[in-house]
Amino acid sequence: VDTAALDAAYWYRNLRQPVRFEDTVRALLAKGFATFVESSAHPVLVMGVQETAEALGAPVLTTGSLRRDEGGLQRFLTSAAELFVRGTDIDWASLFEGTGARRVDLPTYAFQREHQR
């Protein structure tokens, strides 16, 4: 969007016209989308997405990106990790590119230990 169009008239129209949030979520679910990330300073729409999906019997994964009083990179990465542990593919390599970080294999059994030489 050309930011010049984001004037007072735009915001007035934005407040006065219907958003059609539920219709949009239903359309996205119908197209096979199942992961929703609310990019905002505080996730208030996550519950609306979940309720819409539940009404349709559609499995869905939702999260916010930040939280009120918890902004910044740490909170964003925590949100990404929440998605990752629930099955969403995250491109972690791009985050650590150039840092020297590397992947290591973890034991598959909690008490399995192998000394490295």
Side-chain angles (χ1 to χ4, degrees), residues 46-91:
V46 166
M47 191 172 357
V49 172
Q50 290 171 334
E51 289 173 354
T52 301
E54 286 172 10
L56 295 172
V60 70
L61 172 58
T62 60
T63 191
S65 56
L66 303 173
R67 303 282 190 275
R68 184 174 293 126
D69 299 325
E70 285 186 70
L73 184 59
Q74 182 68 34
R75 177 65 244 180
F76 183 80
L77 292 176
T78 300
S79 295
E82 290 169 358
L83 289 170
F84 180 73
V85 299
R86 293 168 66 194
T88 301
D89 189 27
I90 304 290
D91 181 10

Side-chain angles (χ1 to χ4, degrees), residues 43 58 72 103:
R103 287 180 164 240

Side-chain angles (χ1 to χ4, degrees), residues 22-67:
E22 182 180 2
D23 295 341
T24 302
V25 172
R26 285 176 177 267
L28 290 169
L29 290 168
K31 290 185 178 208
F33 290 91
T35 302
F36 293 81
V37 179
E38 182 176 350
S39 299
S40 68
H42 191 68
V44 295
L45 300 175
V46 166
M47 191 172 357
V49 172
Q50 290 171 334
E51 289 173 354
T52 301
E54 286 172 10
L56 295 172
V60 70
L61 172 58
T62 60
T63 191
S65 56
L66 303 173
R67 303 282 190 275

